[in-house]
Amino acid sequence: MRIKSIEDLLEIKKNILNKRKNEENMIIIKVSLATCGIAAGGKHIKEYIIKKMNDEGIKNYIIKDVGCMGYCYLEPTIEVMLPGYQPVVFGRLDKEKIDEIFEKYINRHEIVDGIVPINYNTI
Amino acid sequence: MEKCKLVIDGKEIEVEKGTTILEAAKRLNIKIPTLCHLDLHDIKMVNKAASCRVCVVEIEGRKNLAPSCATPVSDGMVVKTNSIRALNARKVVLELLLSDHPKECLTCAKSGECELQNLAEEFAIRKIDFEGEMSEYRKDYSPSIIRDMDKCVMCRRCETMCNEVQTVGVLSAINRGFDSVVATFFEKNLEDTTCTYCGQCVAVCPTGALTEVDYSWDVITAISNPEKIVIVQTAPAIRAALGEEFGLEPGTPVTGKMVAALRKLGFDYIFDTDFAADLTIVEEASEFLDRLNRYLNGDKSVRLPILTSCCPAWVKFFEHHFPELIDIPSTAKSPQQMFGAIAKSYFAEILNVPREKIVVVSVMPCLAKKYEAKREEFKVNGNPDVDISITTRELARLIKQANIDFLALPDEDFDRPLGESTGAGVIFGVTGGVIEAAVRTAYEFYTGKELRDVEFRQLRSDEGIRTAFVNFGGFELNIGIAYDLGNARKLLEEIKTGKSTYHAIEIMACPGGCIGGGGQPYHHGNLDIIRARARAIYHEDRHKEIRKSHKNPYIIELYEKYLGKPLGEKSHKLLHTHYFKKVLY
Amino acid sequence: MSYQRYCLICRSSKCNKFSNSIGENFKEILKEKELKESVKVVFTECFGLCNKGPIVKIMPDNTVYTGVMPMDVREIVEKHLIKGEKIERLIHQENKPKQIKIVLRNCGFIDPENIEEYIEKDGYMALAKVLKMSRTDLINEIKLSGLRGRGGGGFPTGLKWEYAYNAKGDEKYVVCNADEGDPGAFMDRSVLEGDPHSVIEGMAICGYAIGAKKGLVYIRAEYPLAVKRLAKAINDAREYGFLGNNILGTDFSFDIEIKYGAGAFVCGEETALIKSMEGERGEPTSKPPFPAEAGYWGKPTNVNNVETLANIPVIINKGANWFNKIGTEKSKGTKVFALAGKINNVGLIEVPMGITLREIIFDIGGGIKDGKKFKAVQTGGPSGGCLTEKDLDTPIDYDTLLTKGSMMGSGGMIVMDEDDCMVAVAKFYLEFTVDESCGKCTPCRVGNKRLYEMLEKVTSGKASMEDLEKIKLLSNVIKDTALCGLGQTAPNPVLSTITNFWDEYLAHVRNKKCPSGQCKELITYTINKDKCVGCTACLRVCPVYAISGKVREPHVIDQEKCIKCGACYTTCKFNAIEKK
């Protein structure tokens, strides 16, 4: 898909943003899979989340690999964005914590222990 | 040319942009000490390492000290070469170098000629504050060169010489940090590599890390053996340089004194390699004309150009790198080897002794000759044609050891019959000399006419690679001349790709020809010394009565009485050789 | 069923001391006020305000209370939760987070292997904008931004680009230095793993500015994931037409090749890097000539660090005048630091220049682990120096750090506490530089090795005061004469620790003691006979049979035989072995 001009670029960007609008009803989970995340077991966490999604029968979700969020001392970390809510980051994950996140946060929007507050500005 | 004005030690000077501080200081007669620096730009070798840090100077406005050999001047620069800061830094750097250097000056081959030793003396180093672990490496002995890397200061001159000038590529730095050392491919011994023994690395090494194998005591042993008849042959380049070892000006010919010294040392016969050089010319010129004629008559089995083959470093070079061209060089042996063959056959018959009784010693400007003498094809039933090959430096040591007052010696003459030579034989020592000698003879052989003016000035030059034309009575001969193996490679690449238009090519491995050989007195970076030696050689030639090889009466006698004719059966057996394809790795 | 309100209590690092009791109090009082069903108490990770802790945040009100003590809980519940009145004295005044993510703007937010997510975040818009600018305008914009090289040198980037632009020649190169060699630094790795397109865009913009058609990324082979993601990003960029011929329909063509490092720290130095890319031994060369004049294959080359290049698209999109409002007068923008060592919140942070060390270590970093006392922080890796307690309020920027005997370096920050021996730290860094030295020049090859040997004498108790003087003298000469940055800055940790921790050096030399108990040869193990019960456990584990004693009688360690391995110390269950 070659972008041959600046107009093409703006067109593609518009399409992508539109696509994003269609995801407004999806649960978006971002798993930190940089080297630190993978070393701490991030890939296993991702697999487990996918398995849980299947078990719970949740189909409106997207799971993505992202880079380092900066919380290296809390790895593995994930960011969960429920439709209509601000994204929340969870750290020090293991299977029990994932279960708890599914049961309480994804099910009932109930915040659980271990969330990571945002401590930065972004542009 | 843009100019810069700068101040060094309070003195102002204006120089061209691009000049280094070291150069600019030299013009003000300020001599900044250096170690790794070596500028031989005439032969396209400039060691740009700037690694020793001995030449550091203080520059106003610059945070750190700067290496003066590698820092170009800029307008308005203010330099202090001997501030306390610079002096202290130099002293510490030297102490560091000495802290990782064996303290073997007393028994080191380089003692008295060592640049590190000189600096230590200049800086009056009396105590080394920073003692610690010292590098230890296995010593590498080859037929010609000894590598003792414990003494290496990582100046990288040898690496630059071997890779950039000679393009042989045997030496390179390996490992990192304190363990870094200049070594060969997989740290093999030199004799297992493509080293040509040209000895140029030895010629530029500032310390005793690279030295020649010293066979001088073997010579004494041979001389003192009453059972043996010891013959010595001296290369043309020796007589132009030996005097330097005794304090004479570079370029003072000392032929007579050299012969006298050799006689005093106790050799039985003092002969001249120049005689064999004349012999080489007769054979090689005949071979060349034979090939030229067959080629011009359309014989496809013959290839041109013909390449001279008297330089053993050059021979080993093309055996490794251009094995597919192995039928191109002349099959004539080098003068050293022709001499050995004749001495142990013709002369042995004259003396009526078996060849095993004769010991042939050669004095050469060259380290590769030590290796050449040991080549298997130059032995008869295990007895080598040339037994021992020593260098100019070793000869000087022998003369000094035998407490001979060289400067007071009278001029003496070589013995006969193998000591008489023509001017053509002498000029073998200079670049362009071999081909000029060949042309003097080939001209008369080809045209059948007498050659009036023997000096072919178009072949004489100190440029590394050049073309010249010689008129053979209407036929224009296209001649290529090169010294330094990097230049040789260029000419060979042309032959390989079919682009070469030469009829004959002369190759020497060393700068300026044999006079710049690896076994000559150290020039320490001053190429004018080599030029002076060249002048001495041409001077000798001019003062010879006979200047064409084939007119040498003893050569004529040799053919009449013994060999028959050039390229004849006996000549072929004794005086010609063949080459071997060698691998690169 | 979700709660109406949440009380978020920080349980990280310093706050941890009180978080449990605060939590308990909340639960009790909420139960009392029958709010248990509508207000949930949640424990969170670090807020980055540790100096102001303990922290409590009320959501969804978004109110942050600082310095909350267990006894304040009642007031918070009664006044804030029930009456809706905020408690002024506890409210966090400056509600501005200390980190600004510019370089890391996309890291952790987008999928690095999906180019469309990058485009979504204004990706390649800067390149599009730049192709409509003149090259001199572009370079001026970068100069105006005040961006300085983030690899450690701090050279003004715009000026560097201008040199390469002015250099004569039609074959020029852009090189990205991704050979992050400092121990403990992982900023470039994270950028390449999390947002490789930002670097590609930065390189393309640089290529346009200086007139280069080819870019090279020299990346260390020890970063396989970064290599993989970068390679995919380059492929995707080519496919989408951001690399290759006639980019975005203009006559600007640019492509990028990846070159791999092979485990040499010295190849992070720009001239050694260029030699390595040319296939030669990675040894630095004298400067001048600078790479901008004659670099890769002798052609004008611009070498920039990963982080520097990642800043470029933002500067173009938001403008130089937006960028140069962040930071200090001479150091603009932000810097990514990799916090490591004895600190609670180990990780990657991006802060504006001018922030103080105290804020970094004690706020964002969460303070010292296990409540120990802060001793020093090493910035700049093996080329840098230590900053101590007296420097905690120093604003961090290129020039100030230099005046303190350290340097910014590439961004590694190693925090040390009271249990770290500063002499051992200096020795550790010097061991690294000695191992990584290329060996070309005398001061680094021999000098640094001798320096290391002298430090070994110090840490093994064999040094004299004269040795300390020699260390100082040699360090200064090495700094003055070495050929490249590695050699010139290798003595920095030594000089910095000597200046700041002279007493530790004196203790090692005069008293043959290591105050922090780290230097093994200087530790003495003795058995306290009042505590020893004579169980022979230590006697049996000693590898050199240095301990003697009968059962139920106090044992004795023969100091002559003791090799200070510490096996007895770890074995004794009665704390009878003293380690001094």
Side-chain angles (χ1 to χ4, degrees), chain C residues 362-410:
Chain C
F362 293 101
D363 287 337
I364 307 174
I368 309 296
K369 238 181 176 173
D370 299 332
K372 299 252 180 189
K373 192 164 171 302
F374 168 76
K375 192 170 195 181
V377 59
Q378 166 83 3
T379 61
S383 310
C386 295
L387 296 156
T388 57
E389 203 163 336
K390 62 175 172 30
D391 305 311
L392 276 177
D393 293 301
T394 316
I396 300 219
D397 75 9
Y398 287 101
D399 310 297
T400 337
L401 284 177
L402 278 173
T403 60
K404 298 277 175 193
S406 180
M407 64 187 260
M408 178 84 70
S410 55

Coordinates of all heavy atoms in Angstrom, one line a residue, chain C residues 362-410:
Chain C
F362 N 13.6 10.3 45.0 CA 12.7 10.1 46.1 C 11.2 10.2 45.7 O 10.4 9.7 46.4 CB 13.0 11.1 47.2 CG 14.3 10.7 47.8 CD1 15.5 11.5 47.5 CD2 14.4 9.7 48.7 CE1 16.7 11.1 48.1 CE2 15.7 9.3 49.3 CZ 16.8 10.1 49.0
D363 N 10.9 10.9 44.6 CA 9.5 11.0 44.2 C 9.3 9.9 43.1 O 8.6 8.9 43.4 CB 9.2 12.4 43.6 CG 9.1 13.4 44.7 OD1 8.9 13.0 45.9 OD2 9.3 14.6 44.4
I364 N 9.8 10.2 41.9 CA 9.4 9.2 40.9 C 10.0 7.8 41.2 O 9.4 6.8 41.0 CB 10.0 9.7 39.5 CG1 9.5 11.1 39.3 CG2 9.6 8.8 38.4 CD1 10.1 11.8 38.1
G365 N 11.2 7.8 41.8 CA 11.9 6.6 42.0 C 11.4 5.8 43.2 O 11.7 4.6 43.4
G366 N 10.7 6.5 44.0 CA 10.1 5.8 45.2 C 11.1 5.6 46.3 O 10.8 4.8 47.3
G367 N 12.2 6.3 46.3 CA 13.1 6.2 47.4 C 14.0 4.9 47.4 O 13.9 4.1 46.6
I368 N 14.8 4.8 48.5 CA 15.8 3.8 48.5 C 15.1 2.5 49.0 O 14.2 2.5 49.9 CB 16.9 4.1 49.5 CG1 17.5 5.5 49.1 CG2 18.0 3.1 49.5 CD1 18.1 5.6 47.8
K369 N 15.5 1.4 48.5 CA 15.0 0.1 48.8 C 15.2 -0.3 50.3 O 16.3 0.1 50.8 CB 15.7 -1.0 48.0 CG 14.8 -1.8 47.1 CD 15.6 -2.8 46.3 CE 14.6 -3.6 45.6 NZ 15.3 -4.5 44.7
D370 N 14.3 -1.0 50.8 CA 14.4 -1.5 52.2 C 14.7 -0.4 53.2 O 15.2 -0.6 54.3 CB 15.6 -2.5 52.3 CG 15.3 -3.7 51.5 OD1 14.1 -4.0 51.2 OD2 16.2 -4.4 51.0
G371 N 14.3 0.8 52.9 CA 14.5 1.9 53.8 C 15.9 2.3 54.2 O 16.1 3.0 55.1
K372 N 16.8 1.9 53.3 CA 18.2 2.2 53.7 C 18.5 3.7 53.3 O 17.7 4.4 52.7 CB 19.2 1.3 52.8 CG 19.0 -0.2 53.1 CD 20.1 -0.7 53.9 CE 19.9 -2.2 54.2 NZ 20.9 -2.8 55.1
K373 N 19.7 4.1 53.7 CA 20.1 5.5 53.5 C 20.7 5.7 52.1 O 21.6 4.9 51.7 CB 21.1 5.9 54.6 CG 21.3 7.3 54.7 CD 22.0 7.6 56.1 CE 22.5 9.1 56.2 NZ 23.4 9.5 55.1
F374 N 20.4 6.8 51.5 CA 20.9 7.1 50.2 C 22.4 7.4 50.3 O 22.8 8.1 51.2 CB 20.2 8.3 49.6 CG 20.8 8.9 48.4 CD1 20.8 8.2 47.1 CD2 21.5 10.1 48.5 CE1 21.3 8.8 46.0 CE2 22.1 10.7 47.3 CZ 22.0 10.0 46.1
K375 N 23.2 6.9 49.4 CA 24.6 7.3 49.5 C 25.1 8.1 48.3 O 25.7 9.1 48.4 CB 25.5 6.0 49.6 CG 26.9 6.3 50.0 CD 27.6 4.9 50.3 CE 28.9 5.1 51.0 NZ 29.5 3.8 51.3
A376 N 24.8 7.5 47.1 CA 25.3 8.2 45.9 C 24.5 7.7 44.7 O 23.9 6.6 44.7 CB 26.8 7.9 45.6
V377 N 24.5 8.5 43.6 CA 23.9 8.0 42.4 C 24.9 8.2 41.3 O 25.6 9.2 41.2 CB 22.6 8.7 42.0 CG1 22.8 10.2 41.9 CG2 22.0 8.2 40.8
Q378 N 25.1 7.1 40.5 CA 26.1 7.2 39.4 C 25.4 7.5 38.1 O 24.5 6.8 37.7 CB 26.8 5.8 39.3 CG 27.6 5.6 38.0 CD 29.0 6.2 38.1 OE1 29.4 6.7 39.1 NE2 29.7 6.1 37.0
T379 N 25.8 8.6 37.5 CA 25.2 9.0 36.2 C 26.2 8.8 35.1 O 27.4 9.1 35.4 CB 24.6 10.4 36.1 OG1 25.7 11.3 36.3 CG2 23.5 10.6 37.2
G380 N 25.8 8.5 33.9 CA 26.8 8.5 32.8 C 27.5 7.2 32.7 O 28.5 7.1 32.0
G381 N 27.2 6.2 33.5 CA 27.8 4.9 33.3 C 29.3 4.9 33.6 O 29.7 5.6 34.5
P382 N 30.1 4.1 32.9 CA 31.5 4.1 33.2 C 32.2 5.3 32.9 O 33.4 5.5 33.2 CB 32.0 2.9 32.3 CG 30.9 2.7 31.4 CD 29.7 3.2 31.9
S383 N 31.6 6.3 32.2 CA 32.2 7.5 31.9 C 31.9 8.6 32.9 O 32.3 9.8 32.7 CB 31.8 8.0 30.5 OG 31.9 7.0 29.6
G384 N 31.0 8.3 33.8 CA 30.4 9.4 34.6 C 31.0 9.4 36.0 O 31.9 8.7 36.3
G385 N 30.4 10.1 36.8 CA 30.8 10.2 38.2 C 29.7 10.1 39.2 O 28.5 9.9 38.8
C386 N 30.0 10.2 40.4 CA 28.9 10.0 41.5 C 28.5 11.4 42.0 O 29.2 12.3 42.1 CB 29.5 9.3 42.7 SG 29.9 7.7 42.3
L387 N 27.2 11.4 42.2 CA 26.6 12.6 42.8 C 26.1 12.1 44.2 O 25.6 11.1 44.4 CB 25.4 13.1 42.0 CG 25.8 13.6 40.6 CD1 24.6 13.5 39.7 CD2 26.3 15.0 40.7
T388 N 26.4 13.0 45.2 CA 26.1 12.5 46.6 C 25.0 13.3 47.2 O 24.3 14.1 46.5 CB 27.3 12.7 47.4 OG1 27.7 14.0 47.4 CG2 28.4 11.8 46.9
E389 N 24.8 13.2 48.5 CA 23.7 13.8 49.2 C 23.7 15.3 49.0 O 22.7 16.0 48.9 CB 23.8 13.5 50.7 CG 22.5 13.6 51.3 CD 22.5 12.9 52.7 OE1 23.3 12.0 52.8 OE2 21.7 13.3 53.5
K390 N 24.9 15.9 48.9 CA 25.0 17.3 48.8 C 24.5 17.8 47.4 O 24.2 19.0 47.2 CB 26.4 17.8 49.1 CG 27.4 17.3 48.1 CD 28.8 18.0 48.4 CE 29.9 17.4 47.6 NZ 29.8 16.8 46.4
D391 N 24.4 16.9 46.5 CA 24.0 17.3 45.1 C 22.6 17.0 44.9 O 22.1 17.1 43.7 CB 24.9 16.5 44.1 CG 26.3 16.7 44.3 OD1 26.7 17.9 44.5 OD2 27.1 15.7 44.3
L392 N 21.8 16.5 45.9 CA 20.5 16.1 45.6 C 19.6 17.2 45.0 O 18.6 16.9 44.3 CB 19.8 15.5 46.9 CG 20.2 14.1 47.2 CD1 19.6 13.7 48.5 CD2 19.6 13.2 46.1
D393 N 19.9 18.4 45.4 CA 19.0 19.5 44.8 C 19.6 20.1 43.6 O 19.2 21.2 43.2 CB 18.7 20.5 45.9 CG 17.9 19.9 47.0 OD1 16.8 19.4 46.8 OD2 18.4 19.8 48.2
T394 N 20.6 19.5 43.0 CA 21.1 20.0 41.7 C 20.1 19.8 40.6 O 19.6 18.7 40.4 CB 22.4 19.2 41.3 OG1 23.2 19.0 42.5 CG2 23.2 19.9 40.3
P395 N 19.8 20.8 39.8 CA 19.0 20.6 38.6 C 19.9 19.8 37.6 O 21.0 20.1 37.4 CB 18.7 22.0 38.1 CG 19.7 22.9 38.7 CD 20.2 22.2 39.9
I396 N 19.2 18.8 37.0 CA 20.0 18.0 36.1 C 20.0 18.6 34.7 O 19.0 18.7 34.1 CB 19.3 16.6 36.0 CG1 19.3 16.0 37.4 CG2 20.1 15.7 35.0 CD1 19.5 14.5 37.4
D397 N 21.2 19.0 34.3 CA 21.3 19.3 32.8 C 22.8 19.0 32.5 O 23.6 18.8 33.3 CB 20.8 20.7 32.5 CG 21.7 21.8 32.9 OD1 22.9 21.5 33.4 OD2 21.3 23.0 32.9
Y398 N 23.1 19.1 31.2 CA 24.4 18.7 30.7 C 25.5 19.4 31.4 O 26.5 18.8 31.9 CB 24.5 19.0 29.2 CG 23.8 18.1 28.3 CD1 22.5 18.5 27.8 CD2 24.2 16.8 28.1 CE1 21.8 17.6 27.0 CE2 23.5 15.9 27.3 CZ 22.3 16.3 26.8 OH 21.6 15.5 26.0
D399 N 25.4 20.8 31.5 CA 26.5 21.5 32.0 C 26.7 21.4 33.5 O 27.8 21.3 34.1 CB 26.4 23.0 31.6 CG 26.1 23.1 30.1 OD1 27.0 22.7 29.4 OD2 25.0 23.5 29.7
T400 N 25.6 21.4 34.3 CA 25.7 21.3 35.7 C 26.3 20.0 36.1 O 27.1 20.0 37.1 CB 24.3 21.4 36.4 OG1 23.4 22.0 35.5 CG2 24.4 22.1 37.7
L401 N 25.9 18.9 35.5 CA 26.5 17.7 35.9 C 28.0 17.6 35.6 O 28.8 17.0 36.4 CB 25.9 16.5 35.1 CG 24.5 16.1 35.5 CD1 23.9 15.1 34.7 CD2 24.5 15.6 37.0
L402 N 28.5 18.3 34.6 CA 29.9 18.4 34.3 C 30.6 19.1 35.4 O 31.7 18.7 35.9 CB 30.2 19.1 33.0 CG 30.0 18.2 31.7 CD1 30.2 19.1 30.5 CD2 31.1 17.1 31.7
T403 N 30.0 20.2 35.9 CA 30.7 20.9 37.0 C 30.7 20.1 38.3 O 31.6 20.3 39.1 CB 29.9 22.2 37.3 OG1 28.6 21.9 37.7 CG2 29.9 23.2 36.1
K404 N 29.9 19.1 38.4 CA 29.9 18.3 39.6 C 30.8 17.1 39.4 O 30.8 16.2 40.3 CB 28.5 17.8 39.9 CG 27.5 18.8 40.2 CD 27.5 19.3 41.6 CE 26.6 20.5 41.8 NZ 26.8 21.2 43.0
G405 N 31.6 17.1 38.3 CA 32.5 15.9 38.2 C 31.9 14.7 37.6 O 32.4 13.6 37.6
S406 N 30.6 14.9 37.0 CA 30.0 13.7 36.4 C 29.7 14.1 35.0 O 30.3 15.0 34.4 CB 28.8 13.3 37.2 OG 28.2 12.2 36.6
M407 N 28.7 13.4 34.4 CA 28.2 13.8 33.1 C 26.9 13.1 32.9 O 26.5 12.1 33.5 CB 29.2 13.4 31.9 CG 29.4 12.0 31.7 SD 30.7 11.8 30.5 CE 29.8 11.4 29.0
M408 N 26.1 13.7 31.9 CA 24.8 13.1 31.7 C 24.9 11.7 31.1 O 24.1 10.8 31.5 CB 24.1 14.0 30.6 CG 22.7 13.6 30.2 SD 21.5 14.1 31.4 CE 21.5 15.9 31.1
G409 N 25.8 11.5 30.2 CA 25.9 10.2 29.7 C 24.7 9.8 28.8 O 23.9 10.7 28.5
S410 N 24.5 8.6 28.6 CA 23.3 8.2 27.8 C 22.0 8.1 28.7 O 20.9 8.0 28.1 CB 23.6 6.9 27.1 OG 23.9 5.9 28.1

